[in-house]
């Protein structure tokens, strides 16, 4: 779904807790006369009205997309991995006192011939490694107290809380370290006293970084997933085992399809003993508009079929938890993804091979005076699809897992110029063999996506001290 054109009959709740934007920019709003403060169709058209100097970030000098690869001497020291199509630096019309002589392509006040990063606005000329190539043009990863710069093609694992006095620029990939029980795992909080930029082709990847799904139990039904709102394991078979249910967060997780005449509710959510039974998906937790945020919960595992041990399908992992908070601006042209992960398929050679439940979407929070993003941008906290049931070896009698519920996305921005996509759908149910005794899973429910113009006090000012 798109927030950029909020015609929203859907679940995007942009009401109530809301003050009208104080922005000097005139939003491109088509009023229907009924809404009072929804961030509706805020396009990025600025009128050029003078900004409030205290609150309006100067993106002309701070957020010009880097043209990293072309403006530094390339060597082979970059990490291997996906390459990104470097975005083209843009020229703006900022004028002012210029150091050096000649053109100033990026308008940062430093003439091209002496600018250490001539196509990226960097008036501070930061150069952490002292090689005369500016930080935002360099080929190496830079992670100091001042700057985080992830160059194109570089993947950088991170978790926990990190605060920078200067800019954060992500042109490659920041991989959220999955939850493992270690403190801060699965969670990433990036804060900047200035601005955060995720370039087109860059991403923060928290897919499946939340709580693990349940694992197949030694016998009986599968284990439930982990987390505050896990999916239940599916019951054992006599002989057909049931699938697991999806994890929940912003939306509830789906169950295996209860339409089969054999299915019945389980009395235990984990390692149930009643044949063919199924347990509920994880329920809805958290708030739609508070500052709370959670990891996504895992789906439940499918059960053991009769005559099988340690079979059944694991549940999928929930999505991770990412927050991006900056004093001036957050601009996302690439992706910030905290989707749940799809369960692996049970391909053991025993029994009726059910599907596990999908993990729920995770949590994503963004807060800054200005939030921007191009059409290419994606903010996603989708629930994962339920696991596929392969059925028995002749592809009959397979019962699949339920989809994970969608997660939660919360954006707090007095000035809202994001035109990309929000995705908080629940996962679809797992697929199943074509015969009439096989059943899929039910879809998880949609999560929540919120964009409001008031920054909660707790997020209002980033200070790394
Ligand atoms: Ca310049
Ligand atoms: Ca520059
Ligand atoms: Ca350098
Ligand atoms: Ca360097």
């Amino acid at each position: 779904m798109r927030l950029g054109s909020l015609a929203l009959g859907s679940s995007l709740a942009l009401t109530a807790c809301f003050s009208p934007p104080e922005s000097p920019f005139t939003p491109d709003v088509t009023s229907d006369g009924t809404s009072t403060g929804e961030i509706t169709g805020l396009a990025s058209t600025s009128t050029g009205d003078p900004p409030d100097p205290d609150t309006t970030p100067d993106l002309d000098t701070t957020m010009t997309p880097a043209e990293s690869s072309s403006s530094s001497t390339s060597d082979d020291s970059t990490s291997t991995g996906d390459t990104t199509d470097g975005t083209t630096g843009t020229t703006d019309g900022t004028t002012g006192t210029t150091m050096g002589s000649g053109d100033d392509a990026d308008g940062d006040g430093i003439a091209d011939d002496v600018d250490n990063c001539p196509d990226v606005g960097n008036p501070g000329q930061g150069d952490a490694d002292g090689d005369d190539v500016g930080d935002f043009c360099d080929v190496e990863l830079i992670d100091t107290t001042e700057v985080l710069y992830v160059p194109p093609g570089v993947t950088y694992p991170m978790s926990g809380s990190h605060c920078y006095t200067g800019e954060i620029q992500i042109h490659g990939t920041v991989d959220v370290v999955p939850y493992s029980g270690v403190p801060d795992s699965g969670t990433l909080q990036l804060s900047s006293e200035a601005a955060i930029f995720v370039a087109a082709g860059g991403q923060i990847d928290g897919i499946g970084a939340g709580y693990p799904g349940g694992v197949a139990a030694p016998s009986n039904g599968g284990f439930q997933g982990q987390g505050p709102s896990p999916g239940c394991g599916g019951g054992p078979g006599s002989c057909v085992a049931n699938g697991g249910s999806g994890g929940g967060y912003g939306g509830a997780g789906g169950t295996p399809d209860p339409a089969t005449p054999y299915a019945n509710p389980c009395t235990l959510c984990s390692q149930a003993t009643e044949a063919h039974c199924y347990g509920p998906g994880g329920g809805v937790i958290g708030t739609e508009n508070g500052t709370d945020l959670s990891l996504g919960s895992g789906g439940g595992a499918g059960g053991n079929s009769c005559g099988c041990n340690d079979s059944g399908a694991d549940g999928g992992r929930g999505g991770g938890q990412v927050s991006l908070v900056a004093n001036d601006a957050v601009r996302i042209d690439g992706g910030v993804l905290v989707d749940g992960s799809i369960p692996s398929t049970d391909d053991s050679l025993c029994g009726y091979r059910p599907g596990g439940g999908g993990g729920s979407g995770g949590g994503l929070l963004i807060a800054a005076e200005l939030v921007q993003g191009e059409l290419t941008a994606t903010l996603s906290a989708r629930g994962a699809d339920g696991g596929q049931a392969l059925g028995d070896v002749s592809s009959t009698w397979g019962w699949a897992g339920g989809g994970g519920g969608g997660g939660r996305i919360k954006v707090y921005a007095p000035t809202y110029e994001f035109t990309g996509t929000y995705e908080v759908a629940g996962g679809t149910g797992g697929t199943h063999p074509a015969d009439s005794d096989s059943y899929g899973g039910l879809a998880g429910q949609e999560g929540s996506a919120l964009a409001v113009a008031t920054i909660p006090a707790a997020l209002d000012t980033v200070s790394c001290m």
Side-chain angles (χ1 to χ4, degrees):
M1 78 179 55
R2 305 281 301 273
L3 261 196
S5 57
L6 272 183
L8 301 189
S10 63
S11 68
L12 284 183
L14 303 183
T15 51
C17 52
F18 188 95
S19 303
E22 302 168 352
S23 162
F25 301 104
T26 302
D28 182 13
V29 174
T30 302
S31 172
D32 60 8
T34 58
S35 70
T36 54
E38 294 181 42
I39 299 183
T40 302
L42 283 187
S44 56
T45 47
S46 162
T47 62
D49 291 344
D52 178 343
D54 293 331
T55 59
T56 303
D58 181 2
L59 284 190
D60 287 339
T61 57
T62 61
M63 297 298 283
T64 306
E67 194 172 13
S68 317
S69 55
S70 65
S71 52
S72 59
T73 303
S74 182
D75 59 34
D76 55 8
S77 65
T78 48
S79 307
T80 55
D82 295 338
T83 55
T84 57
D85 51 346
T87 51
T88 309
T90 56
T91 304
D92 62 34
T94 305
T95 55
T97 306
T98 301
M99 279 180 55
S101 59
D103 292 339
D104 177 15
D106 59 12
D108 62 2
I110 315 293
D112 291 351
D113 59 345
V114 293
D115 193 335
N116 67 10
C117 195
D119 293 313
V120 178
N122 62 331
Q125 297 287 288
D127 178 15
D129 64 359
D131 64 355
D132 295 331
V133 178
D135 290 338
F136 299 127
C137 285
D138 218 328
V139 294
E140 301 97 351
L141 176 92
I142 297 170
D143 186 356
T144 65
T145 57
E146 183 183 358
V147 170
L148 173 65
Y149 173 67
V150 181
V154 170
T155 296
Y156 187 40
M158 297 185 84
S159 63
S161 183
H162 304 265
C163 192
Y164 301 88
T165 57
E167 272 185 45
I168 296 169
Q169 291 207 10
I170 299 167
H171 299 259
T173 297
V174 169
D175 234 347
V176 181
V177 177
Y179 175 82
S180 62
V182 173
D184 291 337
S185 57
T187 297
L188 177 63
Q189 176 173 340
L190 295 179
S191 306
S192 168
E193 292 182 9
I196 299 174
F197 177 44
V198 179
Q203 65 175 353
I204 298 173
D205 181 355
I207 297 172
Y211 291 105
V215 296
S219 60
N220 293 324
F223 285 106
Q224 71 179 8
Q226 295 185 36
S229 194
C232 285
S238 157
C239 279
V240 184
N242 215 333
S245 297
Y249 181 18
T255 65
D257 189 342
T260 162
Y262 302 96
N264 58 98
C266 298
T267 53
L268 294 173
C269 194
S270 204
Q271 294 189 280
T273 56
E274 302 100 327
H276 316 305
C277 73
Y278 65 94
V284 176
I285 62 167
T287 69
E288 215 159 286
N289 53 16
T291 56
D292 56 293
L293 211 59
S294 176
L295 304 178
S297 293
N304 283 276
S305 301
C306 67
C308 301
N309 287 302
D310 300 312
S311 66
D314 296 348
R317 296 185 70 110
Q321 173 184 325
V322 172
S323 61
L324 307 174
V325 183
N327 285 342
D328 294 344
V330 173
R331 176 169 171 169
I332 311 292
D333 290 344
V336 184
L337 314 172
V338 291
D339 304 334
S341 69
I342 297 174
S344 57
T345 301
D346 175 14
D347 58 357
S348 60
L349 294 179
C350 187
Y352 291 83
R353 300 179 296 183
S360 81
L364 170 57
L365 182 153
I366 296 173
E369 280 297 316
L370 169 64
V371 172
Q372 290 183 306
E374 300 296 331
L375 289 169
T376 51
T378 302
L379 307 179
S380 185
R382 189 178 186 278
D385 297 345
Q388 176 187 10
L390 291 179
D392 75 356
V393 291
S394 56
S395 290
T396 59
W397 287 92
W399 297 350
R408 294 194 185 279
I409 298 175
K410 304 174 179 185
V411 176
Y412 302 98
T415 303
Y416 184 86
E417 298 178 353
F418 183 81
T419 57
T421 302
Y422 286 52
E423 176 61 84
V424 290
T428 62
T431 59
H432 58 84
D435 77 299
S436 60
D437 294 309
S438 293
Y439 291 85
L442 303 185
Q445 294 175 349
E446 188 172 63
S448 69
L450 172 92
V452 292
T454 305
I455 300 175
L459 304 171
D460 197 37
T461 304
V462 173
S463 175
C464 298
M465 299 307 293

